[in-house]
Amino acid sequence: MKLIKLKHAIILASSVALTGVSGVSFAKLTAEELAKLGVEGTELTPAGAIRAGNAEGTIPEWKNEAIVPPASFKAGDYHPDPFADDKVLFKITASNYKEYADKLTPGQQHMFETYPDHYMNIYQTRRPAVFSEYITDSAIKNAAVAEVTQGPTGGLGFANARAAWAFPIPKNGNEALLNFTTRPVNPGLSSYQTTAPVTSSGSYIVNVLTANTTQSWSDPEVTDYDQKVDGLRYYQTIVEPAKAAGQVLLIRDPQEFSTTKRKAWLYSPGQRRVKRAPQVLYDNPWTAGDGLATNDQKFGYNGPTDRYNWTLVGRKEMYVPYNAYKMHGVDATPENIIQENGRIDQEYARYELHRVWVVEGHLKEGTNHIYGRRTFFFDEDSWWVVASDNYDRRGNIWRLWESHDVMYYDVGFMAVAAAVQYDMQAGRMISLGYDKRRKLDLSFRAPEKYFTPATVRRDGKR
């Protein structure tokens, strides 16, 4: 894979004093700790992952060897599976899951208890999360100087980091969560996406929407980045079904939420007006999700970080969705993957044994959210969410979120190919993915003026 070269030096943000941060280590990493990070020959990778495989040989060594795109691959294609010849090693079922319980999330275990026909196909572990040189260089620089900041309401932020993980060697839950916030992401994407809330009987309506996104955090062309201003730019338009078509959602997020808030606008065809949408965050319902997911669950988690106390539980080996190229394939359409039992066809899902960082969020006193507790499982090689367990306010397991991620090997970034959330109390599911009738545009870029209410007013139509 051809590495992207940084054309201009990365300019780090000016130092921000670290004040009032609860549960944060004030000490910088030692020289010995920093020496553990590197691309070759070190104990840890630039992301802070353990380079070596495990003692059993079931997790291989991470190597700085990117997937080479197949000769037949063309830009815009759904990426062919580079591991298509891999066979299922074994199957975890309701009858044997307790043998593997130490490597399953509580939510995964509850799935076997709730659905006796549920299973997980376990494949050989592959570690293709290999990033470009400017990403790895940035991560190593960040590790030496990055600091956590915190706003008056408890929102987490950071200083002195750019383009990649701010805290490759996290010391606490705040730093670990911010590694997810600062993970490398492709600078742009234009796509058609699907949302399908499914009933327990397997019936559903597919909602199709266009989503144009830019996120210049990891863009080597952007050198004057300000994480309090720049961040996610998201422009969504519902295309199907006809009764909802034309609704537009615009979101402008900062990279971190210590002092800056989300700005969002909504256009309703019925009213023909663009309105501010302060409700598009936290636990308000996902657009066209029938109440089965919250706004802050896109990408696994997004938005303000101030309603939970974050605890770093540690790193452990777990069976998680990974290398989901079958789920990414052109035949993985809603009619093919959603079964009559109201769940996805597990033959499309690939699970592997990976080391993950476990981070728990406990709802703060005096704040509100439908999830009283959330446990995130972050892939150690990329810091993307691969799974999360979501508990109700009584402390009962409620929903299991699984992100089926792939490495977009042509651009050198990881992203979600599809996601599902099982509501085990309601016996329902929401399935999220791409509309495979249209191609992806991973080269999409748009100026700031595109992501403004004026554009929504201009484009808004029934």
Side-chain angles (χ1 to χ4, degrees), residues 174 193 226 274 352 434:
N174 289 350
Q193 300 181 8
D226 182 351
V274 178
E352 301 178 2
Y434 290 111

Side-chain angles (χ1 to χ4, degrees), residues 13-123:
S14 59
S15 178
V16 177
L18 188 60
T19 58
V21 183
S22 173
V24 174
S25 171
F26 287 78
K28 296 285 187 181
L29 294 179
T30 66
E32 283 185 344
E33 289 174 313
L34 290 171
K36 294 180 180 180
L37 296 170
V39 176
E40 302 286 353
T42 51
E43 179 182 335
L44 303 177
T45 73
I50 298 171
R51 179 185 304 276
N54 61 3
E56 297 77 14
T58 49
I59 294 177
E61 176 187 0
W62 181 87
K63 297 180 180 180
N64 189 35
E65 298 174 358
I67 296 171
V68 177
S72 61
F73 175 77
K74 297 179 181 178
D77 290 352
Y78 288 88
H79 300 65
D81 187 353
F83 312 121
D85 292 336
D86 289 357
K87 306 300 182 183
V88 176
L89 298 178
F90 60 94
K91 192 184 297 281
I92 301 177
T93 67
S95 61
N96 69 3
Y97 81 91
K98 291 185 179 179
E99 299 174 28
Y100 306 98
D102 63 324
K103 292 181 172 61
L104 298 172
T105 82
Q108 289 174 328
Q109 295 178 55
H110 201 65
M111 282 290 291
F112 290 111
E113 296 162 5
T114 306
Y115 305 108
D117 59 342
H118 183 63
Y119 65 92
M120 297 166 60
N121 284 330
I122 309 301
Y123 288 81

Side-chain angles (χ1 to χ4, degrees), residues 332-384:
T333 56
E335 60 268 24
N336 286 339
I337 68 170
I338 299 176
Q339 301 182 110
E340 292 182 359
N341 61 16
R343 287 171 277 128
I344 66 167
D345 182 349
Q346 286 292 92
E347 289 302 302
Y348 282 89
R350 174 179 176 131
Y351 296 87
E352 301 178 2
L353 185 66
H354 283 263
R355 284 183 292 248
V356 298
W357 291 99
V358 184
V359 176
E360 286 190 352
H362 292 267
L363 190 63
K364 294 179 181 178
E365 278 191 45
T367 62
N368 289 306
H369 200 287
I370 62 172
Y371 301 139
R373 172 185 162 199
R374 313 169 81 159
T375 305
F376 291 100
F377 303 91
F378 297 113
D379 166 40
E380 72 164 345
D381 289 332
S382 67
W383 285 95
W384 274 86

